[in-house]
Amino acid sequence: MAGPLAASAHAEPSSPATPDMPAELIQAITRDLKISPQDYLHRADVAQQVATFATTAQRQFPQAYAGAWLDETGKAIVALAPGDGTDAARKAAQDAGFTVKDVAKSESTLRGEKNAFQTWLKDQPADVSKSIRGVAIDAMNNTIAVRADKADLPLPGFVDPTRVIVMTAPPAGGESVDVPQAGDIAGAGPRQLAAGDSFASVAGRMSLRCSLGFNGTDGNGNVVNITAGHCNPNIAATPGANSPAVYQLAGSDTLGPQVGVFGKSVLGNEDYSIISVNDQSRDSFTNNLVRVPNAAPVAITGVAVPVVGAPVCKSGSRTGFSCGVVNAVDQTVQVGDRMLTQSFSANICALPGDSGGPIVTGTLALGISSASSVADYPICEIPNLIGLITGNTPQLFAQPVSTVLSDNPGLRVNTN
């Protein structure tokens, strides 16, 4: 978790003096990341360059590659362990313009330790297993990091005690209270709806308020929206004739027109929903936009994968744009009574109502907001201030969009 970020050590990209971003996003970048919008775009681009390198290195140099990330200045670091292919991997990383860090363990070794930890955990007594909130590979420290509700737990010898992150309560999605249901707005028609706008999901007398995620199309060309699984109040009825309905919201608690139904929802190791948009609302969801509700948008140009240290910003219908950096990827974390796997996290505050909303890096679609460590707070200013004092900053846990697309062949996010 990085604090205020220094200026990038890389040369500034040849981008406009004022990037084509909404004022609300620029404000969040400068406030939360302490960098310019130009540097934000540059670092996001560097993160995807190192991600592409990592994909190749994992395949070509499995005994040497040990992870990659962006440091506090935005510089790309590639870690290499001694082993077959180390010299070739070093040359490839340096030729790509990345800085090499020598470490003891390869990523495959760390992944083995993560798997061994999860196997070890299955045999532990309840007082130990219930205290573990999750585990992730910590490439920056060449170890695995464990989230727990206290620091003095008995752990396997290969776990560095200094990498136990205390999390007194598991993160929560937060959408557990019904939205008051007013009558439909007479004569109101669908309007353009973008990622970050609010919606209500309704199943019988139960309704939840969430944020729309990225607009897209499925494998059959149908218009859809990708949001959180836990925003569906009746997953058991999905899909089917009784699948919960999705409504546009006007204000905080007034139902507008129905815009679709939940076509698919997954809640367990993953957390995502695919909303099937009805014919009357198709034109409202054909855009590729992310915004704070009722404000100017930013256009999505592609899809990204999470990289530690990458700058990211979320939009939610309750708290709008806020930004941070990715601090863990491919992690397992307890959310309520389930384990979210393959998730990533960032030091960003999100509150109930933000769930399902988009997380971007640069102008690329990155994730869907899933759970927050500070969902019980009424406003973000309180946990943000506590974080400044204690170092225990808010954490937003997210579902990678790339995983959702991989799970659903033909599903696409709308881009330029």
Side-chain angles (χ1 to χ4, degrees), residues 29-89:
I29 291 168
T30 55
R31 178 194 66 222
D32 299 337
L33 296 174
K34 306 295 191 295
I35 59 176
S36 69
Q38 292 88 348
D39 203 16
Y40 164 73
L41 292 173
H42 178 59
R43 294 185 189 202
D45 181 60
V46 172
Q48 293 311 296
Q49 291 177 30
V50 78
T52 300
F53 176 86
T55 300
T56 301
Q58 288 167 339
R59 182 178 65 254
Q60 293 186 348
F61 315 114
Q63 296 182 35
Y65 179 74
W69 62 91
L70 265 58
D71 69 8
E72 290 185 349
T73 70
K75 182 170 61 178
I77 310 295
V78 174
L80 298 177
D84 185 31
T86 300
D87 291 342

Side-chain angles (χ1 to χ4, degrees), residues 103-199:
V103 296
K105 301 174 183 177
S106 68
E107 184 181 71
S108 61
T109 297
L110 294 175
R111 197 170 298 281
E113 289 185 356
K114 178 186 173 187
N115 293 337
F117 178 83
Q118 292 172 316
T119 300
W120 169 87
L121 189 60
K122 293 177 183 178
D123 297 327
Q124 299 308 300
D127 62 330
V128 174
S129 61
K130 289 183 179 179
S131 296
I132 303 298
R133 305 294 189 202
V135 61
I137 293 175
D138 181 1
M140 293 178 67
N141 293 287
N142 199 227
T143 185
I144 62 173
V146 176
R147 296 185 187 271
D149 64 7
K150 52 187 175 181
D152 57 349
L153 291 171
L155 296 172
F158 54 81
V159 176
D160 183 349
T162 66
R163 300 308 300 152
V164 175
I165 302 168
V166 177
M167 177 183 288
T168 55
E175 279 59 48
S176 58
V177 179
D178 282 1
V179 175
Q181 291 189 36
D184 289 4
I185 304 172
R191 55 181 171 81
Q192 186 179 72
L193 294 170
D197 286 344
S198 60
F199 75 92

